[in-house]
Amino acid sequence: MLFCAGLGLATVALPLVALLSGYSGVAVGIFASVSAVSQMGVRFFLAAAMRRWSDRSLVAVAGLLLAASNGLVALSTELVPFLVAELLQGAARACFWTGAQTHVVRGRLTAVRALANLNLTSSLGILAGPAAAGVLIDHDPDLALWVAAVVSLLSFVPAMALDRLPPFTLPSEGRPRGGLRHRPAVRAGLLASGCEGSWRALLNSYVPVILDAARQSSSVIGILISAANAASIVSSVAVARVRSGRASLAVSLSIVAAGAGIAALAVTAEHAVPAAIALAVSGLGAGALQTMGPAMAATAVDPQEKGEAIAVTGTVRAAALLVVPLAVAGMVSVIPLVAAVTLSGGLLAVPAAAALRGRGGTEPRAATG
């Protein structure tokens, strides 16, 4: 919760401080892309890192990296410090989510329930952070960054109080040929994480643009986006009640809901209530995917491969966050934005059938997760 509160503060404070410092909106977008590239790049090395260091070490380091990121911009808003800060934030995101998700799925709860608990707790921080940032920036932009740095740094303390679980080793029976990505249940988990990342990318980029083009006010746009986020939080926790034997069906239905809700926005954007319903439906689907994706992958592998499974699903999600906005930007050069987003939402539903094919491998190997 502390780390995500610091992250929530930073996600509002950094772009606003950049604008106040004279950077253009395009520059702010480039800064965000640098963070996304950093996150994806770091994730490639985390599976190997968790064979050397404990997962709690990643969570602890994430707090230090995020604190350094916020503190650096508080000290200087020059170009190089901004770029370094975004690199550090991306690395912090990668380390935190991979380390935290891996740590909880190694506990006594099932992977789905453990990840649902983690998502609920982190959501509290993510929701509180932006609200606090808005208040603090009105008084002093640098103060918002320093508070974000301090809160992030404080997350180091509870991180070091986590159980010191041993680093992973290679499975005693060796690896099946083809690696993790060729196992049906892992593929289903990757599809779920990729679709959730695609949904998040659209929600954070083009959905507000479509609503603005439909002449919705800023306050209404904020409420609609909040409705989608709230629905996502609810379903990410509620999905813990889904039985393991129905995991693939739940993922398939969630993929359809996430994609159809975004696609439906094209015909509902001018009317607040229907638009809220469409976004809430898409949020319900995406929230379930956020929990089920890594859970399906983690429960389908050897206990010594859980860290790698979590890292791989996170890498796919990070790739979607980076690639989808660029893909939509490319489509906009040929078709209108509304049509591009509608098509993207429709394409999100395509992997649902593939997720169903992973149902044979979704049963957890042990009740302890």
Side-chain angles (χ1 to χ4, degrees):
M1 185 166 62
L2 283 169
F3 177 88
C4 290
L7 183 60
L9 281 158
T11 54
V12 173
L14 280 179
L16 290 183
V17 168
L19 293 173
L20 291 172
S21 301
Y23 293 100
S24 66
V26 173
V28 172
I30 293 173
F31 291 156
S33 298
V34 168
S35 179
V37 170
S38 173
Q39 180 181 176
M40 188 167 61
V42 170
R43 283 184 185 272
F44 281 116
F45 301 97
L46 291 182
M50 285 186 287
R51 296 195 189 103
R52 187 169 183 179
W53 296 289
S54 64
D55 43 42
R56 79 166 188 176
S57 298
L58 293 183
V59 180
V61 167
L64 299 179
L65 292 173
L66 188 59
S69 171
N70 294 315
L72 190 60
V73 177
L75 291 172
S76 173
T77 56
E78 296 296 323
L79 178 61
V80 172
F82 246 115
L83 291 175
V84 173
E86 294 289 358
L87 288 171
L88 291 174
Q89 186 190 110
R93 287 174 183 261
C95 289
F96 174 79
W97 288 114
T98 301
Q101 290 177 335
T102 299
H103 189 83
V104 299
V105 300
R106 299 173 78 183
R108 287 189 286 269
L109 296 176
T110 61
V112 174
R113 187 169 294 279
L115 290 169
N117 291 342
L118 176 63
N119 289 336
L120 175 61
T121 308
S122 61
S123 295
L124 298 176
I126 291 174
L127 290 174
V135 174
L136 292 170
I137 289 173
D138 284 341
H139 290 82
D140 184 354
D142 288 341
L143 178 61
L145 290 169
W146 283 120
V147 170
V150 171
V151 172
S152 304
L153 186 62
L154 288 175
S155 71
F156 178 86
V157 178
M160 294 309 295
L162 293 171
D163 293 336
R164 189 185 181 98
L165 303 177
F168 291 103
T169 60
L170 291 176
S172 57
E173 298 178 357
R175 276 183 182 276
R177 293 183 61 185
L180 296 184
R181 294 175 179 82
H182 295 277
R183 303 179 201 179
V186 175
R187 284 203 304 269
L190 295 178
L191 284 172
S193 294
C195 289
E196 191 276 329
S198 300
W199 175 85
R200 178 62 62 183
L202 291 171
L203 185 74
N204 290 347
S205 56
Y206 294 108
V207 166
V209 176
I210 288 177
L211 292 171
D212 180 72
R215 304 185 181 226
Q216 298 290 356
S217 66
S218 297
S219 59
V220 170
I221 292 174
I223 291 171
L224 292 174
I225 299 299
S226 295
N229 284 321
S232 173
I233 293 170
V234 169
S235 63
S236 71
V237 177
V239 77
R241 297 180 177 273
V242 174
R243 295 177 181 177
S244 59
R246 297 183 178 180
S248 290
L249 177 60
V251 166
S252 295
L253 293 175
S254 298
I255 290 174
V256 171
I262 291 293
L265 187 67
V267 296
T268 60
E270 294 182 357
H271 308 283
V273 174
I277 294 172
L279 288 175
V281 169
S282 72
L284 288 172
L289 297 175
Q290 182 183 1
T291 298
M292 294 295 293
M296 290 179 71
T299 55
V301 299
D302 185 274
Q304 294 300 325
E305 295 176 309
K306 289 183 182 295
E308 183 175 357
I310 294 293
V312 169
T313 56
T315 302
V316 170
R317 183 182 186 276
L321 287 169
L322 178 64
V323 171
V324 169
L326 298 177
V328 174
M331 285 192 283
V332 168
S333 63
V334 180
I335 59 177
L337 175 60
V338 171
V341 173
T342 303
L343 178 60
S344 299
L347 291 175
L348 275 181
V350 173
L356 273 175
R357 290 201 296 271
R359 64 177 179 267
T362 58
E363 295 292 342
R365 294 183 175 219
T368 59

